[in-house]
Amino acid sequence: DAGVIQSPRHEVTEMGQEVTLRCKPISGHNSLFWYRQTMMRGLELLIYFNNNVPIDDSGMPEDRFSAKMPNASFSTLKIQPSEPRDSAVYFCASSLSEVAEAFFGQGTRLTVV
Amino acid sequence: GDSVTQMEGPVTLSEEAFLTINCTYTATGYPSLFWYVQYPGEGLQLLLKATKADDKGSNKGFEATYRKETTSFHLEKGSVQVSDSAVYFCALLGNTGKLIFGQGTTLQVKP
């Protein structure tokens, strides 16, 4: 398996623009996590899905952030409108079940100027 | 809610020194515990895990023991190498299904 695949690897956008990050989990995994990593706050859990259903989105910073998982093989994290403070590395991870370890993608480095 | 606390870094050691990175947790029930490692520019990789009390996880010379009585999962290695330089994250998977990470500890090993 190719592992968790995220795209794009790097994104530079202007403040106010919409940004969409994409994730393809490992086939057969039924839990999916979105994290944000910054120097100041470390690794923050934004939202996680189980069987394509959002279970906990309490980490989503504000209404500008939204996440979807339309099917078992694809998820998106959207920021609209983007702001410079959203600049971070965003990771997607998937796991086989709610009790198994998670496998991470390579991350998307987002820069909002 | 569930939480993980790691010792602050950076930790700087000479090659072949003994490593300990402390990790304590707060959780309801009986979480699974993990150590992940992140090399520069990469995602997190699972290093080792333990799923119940007194379990010892081990991999690549690293070890950690799940201590329920002290709610700890300290990472140890007897002899570190330059290639071990990375950021190490302690994490727990609680009964809510949330995977929670500590703040990470940067390890730098000098030749």
Side-chain angles (χ1 to χ4, degrees), chain A residues 90-111:
Chain A
Y90 291 81
F91 287 104
C92 176
S94 70
S95 68
L96 187 57
S97 72
E98 290 180 310
V99 296
E101 65 269 25
F103 294 82
F104 279 73
Q106 296 281 68
T108 295
R109 180 173 295 278
L110 173 65
T111 304

PDB file of all heavy atoms in Angstrom, chain A residues 90-111:
ATOM      1  N   TYR A  90      -0.311  20.682   7.843  1.00  0.00           N
ATOM      2  CA  TYR A  90      -1.540  19.942   8.114  1.00  0.00           C
ATOM      3  C   TYR A  90      -1.304  18.476   7.770  1.00  0.00           C
ATOM      4  O   TYR A  90      -0.890  18.142   6.657  1.00  0.00           O
ATOM      5  CB  TYR A  90      -2.699  20.515   7.303  1.00  0.00           C
ATOM      6  CG  TYR A  90      -3.105  21.890   7.783  1.00  0.00           C
ATOM      7  CD1 TYR A  90      -2.395  23.022   7.384  1.00  0.00           C
ATOM      8  CD2 TYR A  90      -4.172  22.058   8.660  1.00  0.00           C
ATOM      9  CE1 TYR A  90      -2.744  24.282   7.840  1.00  0.00           C
ATOM     10  CE2 TYR A  90      -4.528  23.316   9.122  1.00  0.00           C
ATOM     11  CZ  TYR A  90      -3.800  24.422   8.710  1.00  0.00           C
ATOM     12  OH  TYR A  90      -4.141  25.665   9.176  1.00  0.00           O
ATOM     13  N   PHE A  91      -1.565  17.615   8.743  1.00  0.00           N
ATOM     14  CA  PHE A  91      -1.374  16.181   8.560  1.00  0.00           C
ATOM     15  C   PHE A  91      -2.712  15.463   8.575  1.00  0.00           C
ATOM     16  O   PHE A  91      -3.612  15.796   9.344  1.00  0.00           O
ATOM     17  CB  PHE A  91      -0.514  15.595   9.684  1.00  0.00           C
ATOM     18  CG  PHE A  91       0.939  15.957   9.600  1.00  0.00           C
ATOM     19  CD1 PHE A  91       1.480  16.913  10.439  1.00  0.00           C
ATOM     20  CD2 PHE A  91       1.771  15.318   8.690  1.00  0.00           C
ATOM     21  CE1 PHE A  91       2.826  17.242  10.376  1.00  0.00           C
ATOM     22  CE2 PHE A  91       3.117  15.637   8.617  1.00  0.00           C
ATOM     23  CZ  PHE A  91       3.637  16.611   9.461  1.00  0.00           C
ATOM     24  N   CYS A  92      -2.786  14.464   7.742  1.00  0.00           N
ATOM     25  CA  CYS A  92      -3.891  13.524   7.747  1.00  0.00           C
ATOM     26  C   CYS A  92      -3.336  12.182   8.208  1.00  0.00           C
ATOM     27  O   CYS A  92      -2.188  11.820   7.889  1.00  0.00           O
ATOM     28  CB  CYS A  92      -4.461  13.413   6.339  1.00  0.00           C
ATOM     29  SG  CYS A  92      -5.764  12.202   6.127  1.00  0.00           S
ATOM     30  N   ALA A  93      -4.126  11.442   8.978  1.00  0.00           N
ATOM     31  CA  ALA A  93      -3.711  10.117   9.436  1.00  0.00           C
ATOM     32  C   ALA A  93      -4.911   9.190   9.383  1.00  0.00           C
ATOM     33  O   ALA A  93      -6.058   9.633   9.506  1.00  0.00           O
ATOM     34  CB  ALA A  93      -3.163  10.187  10.865  1.00  0.00           C
ATOM     35  N   SER A  94      -4.651   7.907   9.194  1.00  0.00           N
ATOM     36  CA  SER A  94      -5.753   6.941   9.217  1.00  0.00           C
ATOM     37  C   SER A  94      -5.367   5.737  10.065  1.00  0.00           C
ATOM     38  O   SER A  94      -4.175   5.466  10.276  1.00  0.00           O
ATOM     39  CB  SER A  94      -6.120   6.500   7.792  1.00  0.00           C
ATOM     40  OG  SER A  94      -5.114   5.688   7.199  1.00  0.00           O
ATOM     41  N   SER A  95      -6.384   5.034  10.554  1.00  0.00           N
ATOM     42  CA  SER A  95      -6.132   3.836  11.343  1.00  0.00           C
ATOM     43  C   SER A  95      -7.180   2.783  11.033  1.00  0.00           C
ATOM     44  O   SER A  95      -8.260   3.083  10.514  1.00  0.00           O
ATOM     45  CB  SER A  95      -6.113   4.146  12.843  1.00  0.00           C
ATOM     46  OG  SER A  95      -7.397   4.499  13.288  1.00  0.00           O
ATOM     47  N   LEU A  96      -6.801   1.542  11.380  1.00  0.00           N
ATOM     48  CA  LEU A  96      -7.652   0.402  11.028  1.00  0.00           C
ATOM     49  C   LEU A  96      -8.916   0.370  11.885  1.00  0.00           C
ATOM     50  O   LEU A  96      -9.948  -0.119  11.467  1.00  0.00           O
ATOM     51  CB  LEU A  96      -6.854  -0.891  11.206  1.00  0.00           C
ATOM     52  CG  LEU A  96      -7.500  -2.179  10.727  1.00  0.00           C
ATOM     53  CD1 LEU A  96      -7.864  -2.083   9.256  1.00  0.00           C
ATOM     54  CD2 LEU A  96      -6.561  -3.340  10.970  1.00  0.00           C
ATOM     55  N   SER A  97      -8.802   0.881  13.094  1.00  0.00           N
ATOM     56  CA  SER A  97      -9.960   0.873  13.971  1.00  0.00           C
ATOM     57  C   SER A  97      -9.748   1.915  15.040  1.00  0.00           C
ATOM     58  O   SER A  97      -8.721   2.592  15.077  1.00  0.00           O
ATOM     59  CB  SER A  97     -10.136  -0.498  14.629  1.00  0.00           C
ATOM     60  OG  SER A  97      -9.139  -0.703  15.598  1.00  0.00           O
ATOM     61  N   GLU A  98     -10.703   2.013  15.922  1.00  0.00           N
ATOM     62  CA  GLU A  98     -10.602   3.004  16.992  1.00  0.00           C
ATOM     63  C   GLU A  98      -9.618   2.592  18.071  1.00  0.00           C
ATOM     64  O   GLU A  98      -9.387   3.346  19.017  1.00  0.00           O
ATOM     65  CB  GLU A  98     -11.982   3.243  17.603  1.00  0.00           C
ATOM     66  CG  GLU A  98     -12.938   3.979  16.667  1.00  0.00           C
ATOM     67  CD  GLU A  98     -14.289   4.205  17.303  1.00  0.00           C
ATOM     68  OE1 GLU A  98     -14.857   3.243  17.828  1.00  0.00           O
ATOM     69  OE2 GLU A  98     -14.769   5.339  17.259  1.00  0.00           O
ATOM     70  N   VAL A  99      -9.012   1.435  17.945  1.00  0.00           N
ATOM     71  CA  VAL A  99      -8.065   1.002  18.975  1.00  0.00           C
ATOM     72  C   VAL A  99      -6.689   0.706  18.406  1.00  0.00           C
ATOM     73  O   VAL A  99      -5.836   0.163  19.088  1.00  0.00           O
ATOM     74  CB  VAL A  99      -8.587  -0.244  19.718  1.00  0.00           C
ATOM     75  CG1 VAL A  99      -9.860   0.090  20.471  1.00  0.00           C
ATOM     76  CG2 VAL A  99      -8.817  -1.401  18.748  1.00  0.00           C
ATOM     77  N   ALA A 100      -6.484   1.073  17.158  1.00  0.00           N
ATOM     78  CA  ALA A 100      -5.210   0.767  16.505  1.00  0.00           C
ATOM     79  C   ALA A 100      -4.399   2.041  16.274  1.00  0.00           C
ATOM     80  O   ALA A 100      -4.929   3.142  16.286  1.00  0.00           O
ATOM     81  CB  ALA A 100      -5.455   0.068  15.170  1.00  0.00           C
ATOM     82  N   GLU A 101      -3.111   1.854  16.036  1.00  0.00           N
ATOM     83  CA  GLU A 101      -2.240   3.003  15.783  1.00  0.00           C
ATOM     84  C   GLU A 101      -2.588   3.685  14.466  1.00  0.00           C
ATOM     85  O   GLU A 101      -3.145   3.074  13.549  1.00  0.00           O
ATOM     86  CB  GLU A 101      -0.767   2.572  15.750  1.00  0.00           C
ATOM     87  CG  GLU A 101      -0.404   1.645  14.610  1.00  0.00           C
ATOM     88  CD  GLU A 101      -0.539   0.194  14.994  1.00  0.00           C
ATOM     89  OE1 GLU A 101      -1.326  -0.116  15.916  1.00  0.00           O
ATOM     90  OE2 GLU A 101       0.149  -0.641  14.363  1.00  0.00           O
ATOM     91  N   ALA A 102      -2.265   4.962  14.374  1.00  0.00           N
ATOM     92  CA  ALA A 102      -2.533   5.749  13.180  1.00  0.00           C
ATOM     93  C   ALA A 102      -1.293   5.855  12.319  1.00  0.00           C
ATOM     94  O   ALA A 102      -0.168   5.889  12.818  1.00  0.00           O
ATOM     95  CB  ALA A 102      -3.013   7.143  13.571  1.00  0.00           C
ATOM     96  N   PHE A 103      -1.525   5.917  11.003  1.00  0.00           N
ATOM     97  CA  PHE A 103      -0.460   6.094  10.024  1.00  0.00           C
ATOM     98  C   PHE A 103      -0.632   7.476   9.402  1.00  0.00           C
ATOM     99  O   PHE A 103      -1.735   7.841   8.990  1.00  0.00           O
ATOM    100  CB  PHE A 103      -0.536   5.006   8.947  1.00  0.00           C
ATOM    101  CG  PHE A 103      -0.248   3.631   9.480  1.00  0.00           C
ATOM    102  CD1 PHE A 103      -1.245   2.898  10.108  1.00  0.00           C
ATOM    103  CD2 PHE A 103       1.013   3.077   9.377  1.00  0.00           C
ATOM    104  CE1 PHE A 103      -0.990   1.639  10.628  1.00  0.00           C
ATOM    105  CE2 PHE A 103       1.276   1.810   9.871  1.00  0.00           C
ATOM    106  CZ  PHE A 103       0.274   1.094  10.503  1.00  0.00           C
ATOM    107  N   PHE A 104       0.478   8.207   9.312  1.00  0.00           N
ATOM    108  CA  PHE A 104       0.419   9.591   8.883  1.00  0.00           C
ATOM    109  C   PHE A 104       0.841   9.780   7.437  1.00  0.00           C
ATOM    110  O   PHE A 104       1.725   9.055   6.942  1.00  0.00           O
ATOM    111  CB  PHE A 104       1.336  10.449   9.771  1.00  0.00           C
ATOM    112  CG  PHE A 104       0.721  10.831  11.081  1.00  0.00           C
ATOM    113  CD1 PHE A 104       0.571   9.895  12.094  1.00  0.00           C
ATOM    114  CD2 PHE A 104       0.271  12.115  11.299  1.00  0.00           C
ATOM    115  CE1 PHE A 104      -0.007  10.234  13.301  1.00  0.00           C
ATOM    116  CE2 PHE A 104      -0.308  12.480  12.501  1.00  0.00           C
ATOM    117  CZ  PHE A 104      -0.449  11.534  13.502  1.00  0.00           C
ATOM    118  N   GLY A 105       0.240  10.774   6.799  1.00  0.00           N
ATOM    119  CA  GLY A 105       0.723  11.231   5.519  1.00  0.00           C
ATOM    120  C   GLY A 105       1.931  12.137   5.698  1.00  0.00           C
ATOM    121  O   GLY A 105       2.357  12.411   6.823  1.00  0.00           O
ATOM    122  N   GLN A 106       2.474  12.605   4.565  1.00  0.00           N
ATOM    123  CA  GLN A 106       3.668  13.452   4.598  1.00  0.00           C
ATOM    124  C   GLN A 106       3.349  14.894   4.981  1.00  0.00           C
ATOM    125  O   GLN A 106       4.254  15.679   5.262  1.00  0.00           O
ATOM    126  CB  GLN A 106       4.347  13.436   3.229  1.00  0.00           C
ATOM    127  CG  GLN A 106       4.883  12.080   2.820  1.00  0.00           C
ATOM    128  CD  GLN A 106       6.207  11.764   3.498  1.00  0.00           C
ATOM    129  OE1 GLN A 106       6.270  11.569   4.699  1.00  0.00           O
ATOM    130  NE2 GLN A 106       7.259  11.726   2.728  1.00  0.00           N
ATOM    131  N   GLY A 107       2.084  15.237   4.968  1.00  0.00           N
ATOM    132  CA  GLY A 107       1.687  16.584   5.375  1.00  0.00           C
ATOM    133  C   GLY A 107       1.594  17.558   4.212  1.00  0.00           C
ATOM    134  O   GLY A 107       2.198  17.356   3.151  1.00  0.00           O
ATOM    135  N   THR A 108       0.818  18.606   4.428  1.00  0.00           N
ATOM    136  CA  THR A 108       0.730  19.733   3.500  1.00  0.00           C
ATOM    137  C   THR A 108       1.216  20.975   4.237  1.00  0.00           C
ATOM    138  O   THR A 108       0.657  21.329   5.272  1.00  0.00           O
ATOM    139  CB  THR A 108      -0.706  19.976   3.013  1.00  0.00           C
ATOM    140  OG1 THR A 108      -1.141  18.860   2.243  1.00  0.00           O
ATOM    141  CG2 THR A 108      -0.777  21.246   2.173  1.00  0.00           C
ATOM    142  N   ARG A 109       2.263  21.598   3.693  1.00  0.00           N
ATOM    143  CA  ARG A 109       2.755  22.834   4.307  1.00  0.00           C
ATOM    144  C   ARG A 109       2.010  24.003   3.679  1.00  0.00           C
ATOM    145  O   ARG A 109       2.156  24.280   2.486  1.00  0.00           O
ATOM    146  CB  ARG A 109       4.254  22.992   4.100  1.00  0.00           C
ATOM    147  CG  ARG A 109       4.825  24.255   4.728  1.00  0.00           C
ATOM    148  CD  ARG A 109       6.331  24.305   4.652  1.00  0.00           C
ATOM    149  NE  ARG A 109       6.958  23.264   5.434  1.00  0.00           N
ATOM    150  CZ  ARG A 109       7.167  23.320   6.747  1.00  0.00           C
ATOM    151  NH1 ARG A 109       6.812  24.402   7.415  1.00  0.00           N
ATOM    152  NH2 ARG A 109       7.761  22.328   7.371  1.00  0.00           N
ATOM    153  N   LEU A 110       1.187  24.673   4.471  1.00  0.00           N
ATOM    154  CA  LEU A 110       0.367  25.783   3.997  1.00  0.00           C
ATOM    155  C   LEU A 110       0.982  27.098   4.452  1.00  0.00           C
ATOM    156  O   LEU A 110       1.267  27.275   5.634  1.00  0.00           O
ATOM    157  CB  LEU A 110      -1.059  25.670   4.539  1.00  0.00           C
ATOM    158  CG  LEU A 110      -1.976  26.863   4.254  1.00  0.00           C
ATOM    159  CD1 LEU A 110      -2.234  27.003   2.766  1.00  0.00           C
ATOM    160  CD2 LEU A 110      -3.284  26.731   5.016  1.00  0.00           C
ATOM    161  N   THR A 111       1.152  27.992   3.503  1.00  0.00           N
ATOM    162  CA  THR A 111       1.607  29.344   3.804  1.00  0.00           C
ATOM    163  C   THR A 111       0.587  30.319   3.250  1.00  0.00           C
ATOM    164  O   THR A 111       0.287  30.303   2.062  1.00  0.00           O
ATOM    165  CB  THR A 111       2.984  29.629   3.166  1.00  0.00           C
ATOM    166  OG1 THR A 111       3.924  28.647   3.619  1.00  0.00           O
ATOM    167  CG2 THR A 111       3.471  31.018   3.557  1.00  0.00           C
TER     168      THR A 111
END
